[in-house]
Amino acid sequence: LGLAGNFAIFAESGISTTGVTSITGNIGVNPITSTAITGFALILPAGGAFSTSSLVTGNVYAPDYAVPTPANMVTTTGDMQTAYTTANGLVAPAPINEFMAGNLNGQTLTAGIYKWSSGVSITNGIVLDGGGDNCATFIFQIAQDLTVANSAVITLQNGAQAKNIFWVVAGSGAVLGTNVNFSGNILSKTLISVNTGGKVTGRLLAQTAVTLNAATIVKP
């Protein structure tokens, strides 16, 4: 992830929130400026390299802030895009293709690479089983959308950790419904949306925008 790993949320065209959102970790945008970070009531000291918000336990970065932030934002954007391209192109270990035709509801998945030419949906929940390995890595290569239904839960067991889970979404977006309990890093070519009461333990890294509504985001 490079510098993108320092962020709970990073987006290229904006981050917006409504309701009582809570973010643990840094957030940032580039190349769009801080005017596209809305709903956070940002506080920027004179000549500041970052701003703060009562909704963010961390710092808020944008390319219109003081040095070294502009250069760091360019690097972060490149690292995020490289992470997306790299994760989406991994072929070892051999991917498991079209698992359950993209309907993962109720399934238990072990570590590895999973690849779909369609979208992926989670209705009630899934289990990610690390097999007793704290470094177990899960990579989900999704050619279309990721849709997580209201109140769905991703349960981690046997060493699986959110920091080692990557949801790579190439479609029109990743949409997490209300009261979802989600784990993993979302690397999206486009939008990431987390609806009311949704909780994400992971990172939201979007090449367009991230929209939140009374959501909780915790960087692992």
Side-chain angles (χ1 to χ4, degrees):
L1 293 176
L3 290 187
N6 295 331
F7 289 85
I9 301 175
F10 195 87
E12 294 190 34
S13 64
I15 302 171
S16 63
T17 187
T18 56
V20 183
T21 283
S22 172
I23 300 169
T24 302
N26 299 326
I27 70 173
V29 295
N30 188 73
I32 199 73
T33 65
S34 59
T35 57
I37 304 175
T38 60
F40 287 90
L42 298 178
I43 301 170
L44 177 66
F50 60 86
S51 60
T52 58
S53 167
S54 62
L55 305 182
V56 181
T57 303
N59 300 329
V60 181
Y61 294 93
D64 51 329
Y65 293 168
V67 294
T69 297
N72 288 341
M73 294 300 93
V74 171
T75 302
T76 300
T77 303
D79 288 348
M80 176 179 72
Q81 294 173 351
T82 298
Y84 170 90
T85 301
T86 301
N88 206 33
L90 290 174
V91 294
I96 299 169
N97 291 303
E98 314 298 345
F99 181 74
M100 299 300 296
N103 181 2
L104 302 188
N105 191 53
Q107 299 298 310
T108 296
L109 290 80
T110 56
I113 300 174
Y114 296 80
K115 185 179 182 68
W116 293 272
S117 59
S118 62
V120 165
S121 63
I122 301 172
T123 306
N124 293 323
I126 62 172
V127 175
L128 301 183
D129 189 324
D133 181 1
N134 289 335
C135 296
T137 301
F138 300 78
I139 298 175
F140 303 103
Q141 301 169 339
I142 305 168
Q144 297 182 21
D145 300 349
L146 171 63
T147 305
V148 183
N150 297 345
S151 301
V153 177
I154 295 179
T155 301
L156 307 184
Q157 67 182 27
N158 295 330
Q161 299 187 64
K163 66 180 182 179
N164 298 324
I165 302 165
F166 297 88
W167 302 86
V168 188
V169 183
S172 60
V175 178
L176 279 57
T178 61
N179 300 310
V180 162
N181 191 339
F182 187 88
S183 293
N185 307 286
I186 301 178
L187 282 63
S188 179
K189 189 69 173 178
T190 53
L191 170 75
I192 301 173
S193 176
V194 184
N195 289 292
T196 306
K199 179 180 180 181
V200 177
T201 303
R203 299 175 178 88
L204 307 180
L205 306 176
Q207 294 181 40
T208 60
V210 172
T211 63
L212 309 170
N213 187 355
T216 300
I217 314 298
V218 179
K219 185 177 80 70

